[in-house]
Amino acid sequence: MKKKFVTGVLMAGAMALVLSGCSSTSSTTTAGATTAAAGKVITVGFAQTGSESGWRAANTESMKTAFSEANGFKLVFNAADNKPEAQIAAVHSFINQKVDAIVIAAVVTTGWDDVLKEAQAAKIPVILEDRTIDADPSLYAAWFGDDFNKEGKTAGEWVVKTFGSTPTNMVVLEGTTGSSAATDRTTGFNAAIKGSGIVQLASQTGDFTRAGGKTVMEGFLQKYGKTIQLLFAQNDDMGLGAIDAIEAAGLKPGVDIKIVTIDATKDGMTALSVGKINYIVECQPLLGDQVAKTVKDVLAGKTVEKMQYGVDGAFDQAQALAALPTRKY
Amino acid sequence: MTSWLKNLMKKRIMWPVGALVVLILVNVLYRPSFLKITVLDGRFYGSLMDILRNSAPLMLVSLGMCLVIATRGIDLSVGSQMAISGAVALTIISHSPTPNSLATVLGAIGVGVLITLLFGIWNGFLVALLGIQPIIATLVLWLAGRGIALLITGGFITTINSAPYKTIAQGNVLGFPVEFLIGLAAIIVVVLLVRRTALGVLTEAIGINPAASRLAGVRSRGIIWSLYGLSGLLAGVAGILYSSNIMAADSNAAGNGIELDAILAVVLGGTSLAGGKFTLGGTVVGVFIIQTLASTVTFLGVPSANVSVFKAAVVIVVVVSQAPMVRNWFGRQFRSSKTASPTATPVAMERTAA
């Protein structure tokens, strides 16, 4: 009996450990809220997805900078560790704290109606960042993010410009199957290369990771060898993994196999600057300033565009060399 | 002839080996170049070499998992531990002024692996001493471990340039990939450790009947404890291999989901999750099945959306073919027909193709 009790206590201890493991990442960094009226400080609750990638880290950094006290904001930040229920709880707590505006980078697209209606009843405007949701558009003021379809299209346009109607063998490293980033980039890219001389030999998911890109590219190289002339990797990380595989196969990345990727992370840009990648389309994580402006406009009662896209650039080798020294992420 | 085959059929390991052979055959039929191995820049190059090389991290993790499972346990934290060792080693190297010195690299690896060894010992402490259910005890680190790794790398992917570190997964010795040789060395060390000492027998005794083995004087606590430590150590080395392969500490992706692949490899190899008798040879074959399956997906050009279904179908066929009832049925079929030799091969192949 006593032994059982001891085990029970320890189990509870282990559970507490597990729980604190979650809460440490989802804890709010700034508690308490000041009203907008007092001192004109705008209190904004930001519900971030978590910290699943370098892109996300840069995005969080950008938001924190844009919503700084120097800019007249008080930011209540929450990272939900990619757990939808934790994120909804965070938004609830923002409403209870009576923040002036709520910004959400939604973990999942569904399940938002109730909490958004609650925010609406409390007259707190909601601005979505990065990811879209399946809810009535009247429940949020605006959405701000990247246009994945256009990113794919820009990559495709470069391919058409470079190879024209010359028959060219291409392989594709797709992102995580089912993610909007992967699906939309594929759609945009395929639309752009329609009618060109590009022949798609194979397309396989590399899960947006370096190791995934490397392994799948090894397989492509074993199967098609030197006939591959072009690689479209749907993010930098997979492209960087593929470069390793291409070099191991005794070929020169960027020369024997031309490479186009999307993201423009620092590592990707470095590879581009030395000619191992030929072209990178940007997927801008530094959305903070534009989101902050939208928040101010909404609170000032101005009408804002419902769907707003970040400005994504694109880089070739010379532009990468110029951009690298100031690249933050 | 028949008795020779019959004896072979009785051997448990023949079933996973058969599955592996069928999988390779499918690839070869589709494209004979699958088996081709050429010499490129003084090293062997080909699909099979890729499979041997890429299977090393899963191999290390699965060997540890096999022993833990034999004690009626399970270690869910291996993937997170891989992320930790990679994050630690690369953070040390990236902050070092001499990333290309062998001493720095060895030191970084030492610290990374030592930390996962300690985490493994922590798991063992929870299971062996406190008597917490293994699935709960290791779930703690499964959750927290990746968070620790992300904390170390600050949420970013840490990249390094270090020639000695690159050699671990991308170098070659006598034409063979170093990564594969490390996997091979791990197999040899673990097999010697388990089968040349009493450890293997004692582990099986604990798994078959913990109470009886304790009454018989087996120090089960110490053995279980050290096996979790070993699992942590092997996961740590696997994390080093993973990060060396891409020269980056990708804390989100490193070892993500590998605990399930390892459990699958152990089960495919013919070791029961109920503990007790285990087969390291079977586990090795199980790892090769999983890795070959991953290559097959790319080689056959299975569309991304269908990859999971394709893998599931193959796994189901292999698992079902190992079920005692199915094996007995095959045995009977075999005995009744005296002319041909209908092994499991054609049937399994049909199902895979369908």
Side-chain angles (χ1 to χ4, degrees), chain A residues 186-200:
Chain A
T186 305
T187 315
F189 185 85
N190 288 345
I193 64 165
K194 211 171 179 189
S196 70
I198 306 293
V199 183
Q200 184 175 311

Side-chain angles (χ1 to χ4, degrees), chain A residues 162-186:
Chain A
T162 312
F163 296 97
S165 53
T166 325
T168 307
N169 293 322
M170 176 186 71
V171 291
V172 179
L173 290 171
E174 298 165 32
T176 308
T177 309
S179 69
S180 63
T183 320
D184 293 352
R185 282 171 187 174
T186 305

Side-chain angles (χ1 to χ4, degrees), chain A:
Chain A
M1 190 63 215
K2 197 179 166 197
K3 201 174 175 191
K4 258 188 186 163
F5 173 74
V6 172
T7 318
V9 169
L10 288 165
M11 283 281 279
M15 284 307 287
L17 239 170
V18 172
L19 291 173
S20 67
C22 321
S23 60
S24 65
T25 46
S26 61
S27 66
T28 47
T29 47
T30 321
T34 43
T35 54
K40 281 185 187 169
V41 174
I42 304 171
T43 305
V44 175
F46 175 36
Q48 178 65 288
T49 56
S51 56
E52 70 276 8
S53 63
W55 190 97
R56 189 63 58 190
N59 180 249
T60 302
E61 226 17 72
S62 156
M63 293 291 280
K64 281 184 174 170
T65 315
F67 288 97
S68 64
E69 279 174 35
N71 292 344
F73 289 101
K74 182 171 177 127
L75 181 68
V76 188
F77 178 75
N78 180 293
D81 212 10
N82 284 299
K83 294 186 176 66
E85 67 282 2
Q87 196 168 39
I88 287 177
V91 176
H92 269 297
S93 102
F94 292 157
I95 297 170
N96 291 336
Q97 290 177 42
K98 298 193 174 58
V99 296
D100 300 313
I102 295 173
V103 181
I104 304 171
V107 175
V108 291
T109 54
T110 51
W112 286 102
D113 295 75
D114 286 345
V115 72
L116 290 187
K117 274 177 192 154
E118 214 176 297
Q120 201 168 43
K123 295 199 170 58
I124 301 174
V126 173
I127 288 99
L128 304 174
E129 189 242 349
D130 171 37
R131 306 212 185 158
T132 51
I133 60 168
D134 286 333
D136 190 73
S138 69
L139 290 173
Y140 54 87
W143 169 87
F144 204 101
D146 289 294
D147 189 345
F148 299 134
N149 189 305
K150 185 151 171 275
E151 288 164 7
K153 194 163 157 256
T154 312
E157 280 163 357
W158 177 82
V159 167
V160 173
K161 204 178 82 190
T162 312
F163 296 97
S165 53
T166 325
T168 307
N169 293 322
M170 176 186 71
V171 291
V172 179
L173 290 171
E174 298 165 32
T176 308
T177 309
S179 69
S180 63
T183 320
D184 293 352
R185 282 171 187 174
T186 305
T187 315
F189 185 85
N190 288 345
I193 64 165
K194 211 171 179 189
S196 70
I198 306 293
V199 183
Q200 184 175 311
L201 295 176
S203 178
Q204 186 59 251
T205 176
D207 268 328
F208 280 137
T209 65
R210 292 186 191 215
K214 182 169 179 176
T215 314
V216 174
M217 192 66 200
E218 280 172 356
F220 285 162
L221 286 162
Q222 296 294 356
K223 193 173 173 185
Y224 301 107
K226 287 174 182 160
T227 57
I228 302 172
Q229 293 162 296
L230 171 69
L231 163 69
F232 170 42
Q234 290 187 348
N235 79 346
D236 283 358
D237 282 335
M238 290 191 294
L240 291 165
I243 287 174
D244 272 351
I246 293 168
E247 284 174 342
L251 298 172
K252 279 187 88 155
V255 180
D256 296 323
I257 297 177
K258 296 269 193 280
I259 301 175
V260 52
T261 69
I262 296 175
D263 255 7
T265 58
K266 200 168 186 176
D267 291 338
M269 295 286 270
T270 311
L272 174 58
S273 70
V274 296
K276 289 186 177 180
I277 294 178
N278 303 86
Y279 195 69
I280 299 184
V281 180
E282 188 176 35
C283 179
Q284 181 66 263
L286 308 179
L287 304 170
D289 287 335
Q290 288 146 302
V291 176
K293 187 180 169 293
T294 310
V295 168
K296 275 186 173 164
D297 286 352
V298 169
L299 287 175
K302 291 183 195 165
T303 47
V304 292
E305 283 281 330
K306 200 92 195 173
M307 304 292 275
Q308 299 181 63
Y309 293 110
V311 183
D312 288 333
F315 304 87
D316 60 19
Q317 190 173 356
Q319 288 159 328
L321 275 169
L324 251 183
T326 55
R327 205 75 189 160
K328 283 186 193 151
Y329 55 95

Side-chain angles (χ1 to χ4, degrees), chain A residues 10 18 51-54 57 174 177 204-205 209-211 214-216 218-223 237 244 248-249 267, chain B residues 31 40 43 45-47 50 53-54 143 155-157 159 170 242 245-246 248 252-253 297-299 301-302 304 307:
Chain A
L10 288 165
V18 172
S51 56
E52 70 276 8
S53 63
E174 298 165 32
T177 309
Q204 186 59 251
T205 176
T209 65
R210 292 186 191 215
K214 182 169 179 176
T215 314
V216 174
E218 280 172 356
F220 285 162
L221 286 162
Q222 296 294 356
K223 193 173 173 185
D237 282 335
D244 272 351
D267 291 338
Chain B
R31 214 175 260 256
L40 183 78
R43 66 193 157 85
Y45 179 77
S47 294
D50 281 347
R53 194 174 64 79
N54 285 327
L143 262 171
F156 288 92
I157 297 176
T159 50
Q170 303 186 43
Y242 183 97
N245 186 33
I246 54 175
N252 286 295
V297 165
T298 313
F299 218 70
V302 180
S304 301
V307 168

Side-chain angles (χ1 to χ4, degrees), chain B residues 10-23:
Chain B
K10 273 186 194 154
K11 285 224 163 60
R12 246 205 131 120
I13 197 167
M14 283 323 293
W15 295 90
V17 168
L20 181 59
V21 170
V22 169
L23 210 50

